[in-house]
Amino acid sequence: QVQLVESGGGLVQPGGSLRLSCAASRRIVSINSMGWYRQTPGKERELVAVISNDGSIWYADSVKGRFTISRDNAKNTVFLQMNYLKPEDTAVYYCNAVPSAVFGNYWGQGTQVTVSS
């Protein structure tokens, strides 16, 4: 059973930046695609960024140009650099394989990001 531990969230003013990290308890080099998801109360979890081992990257339109996803397979870690944050980015952020069924739909505790003045 994999464990995913997200960190780096917090309270930031609009226009600010945060860097999220996700540490996996198993090797992720064999996982082709890893992604960051986010969820707000009453809404479904949404995928915001994906990075694959072939170097391909995808972003949701809402974060394109502001967020940067990266991964360090040697350290089993995935990152999300978030710049120019907006109040609508407020959510709990999770990392997982894409699709999440690769890890048996296991989810970590997530990390809360709050963008507010």
Side-chain angles (χ1 to χ4, degrees):
Q1 175 74 8
V2 68
Q3 288 189 333
L4 300 167
V5 180
E6 300 91 348
S7 62
L11 173 63
V12 64
Q13 292 187 340
S17 298
L18 284 173
R19 187 180 192 229
L20 306 184
S21 298
C22 171
S25 63
R26 54 158 285 184
R27 298 176 70 216
I28 63 170
V29 64
S30 61
I31 307 300
N32 183 51
S33 297
M34 293 292 297
W36 283 94
Y37 303 72
R38 66 186 181 188
Q39 187 171 27
T40 55
K43 293 188 177 181
E44 294 208 356
R45 191 175 282 134
E46 65 168 338
L47 183 63
V48 298
V50 181
I51 184 167
S52 300
N53 277 330
D54 66 359
S56 60
I57 291 176
W58 172 89
Y59 297 104
D61 287 344
S62 57
V63 307
K64 199 174 294 183
R66 300 186 298 119
F67 289 11
T68 303
I69 188 172
S70 60
R71 64 193 286 176
D72 185 338
N73 286 341
K75 296 183 178 179
N76 301 318
T77 304
V78 184
F79 303 97
L80 187 67
Q81 177 67 42
M82 306 187 297
N83 298 328
Y84 306 107
L85 283 161
K86 303 176 181 180
E88 51 263 45
D89 295 319
T90 295
V92 179
Y93 284 73
Y94 304 85
C95 78
N96 212 319
V98 180
S100 61
V102 171
F103 285 154
N105 286 316
Y106 161 87
W107 292 92
Q109 84 288 348
T111 186
Q112 175 71 49
V113 171
T114 303
V115 185
S116 175
S117 55

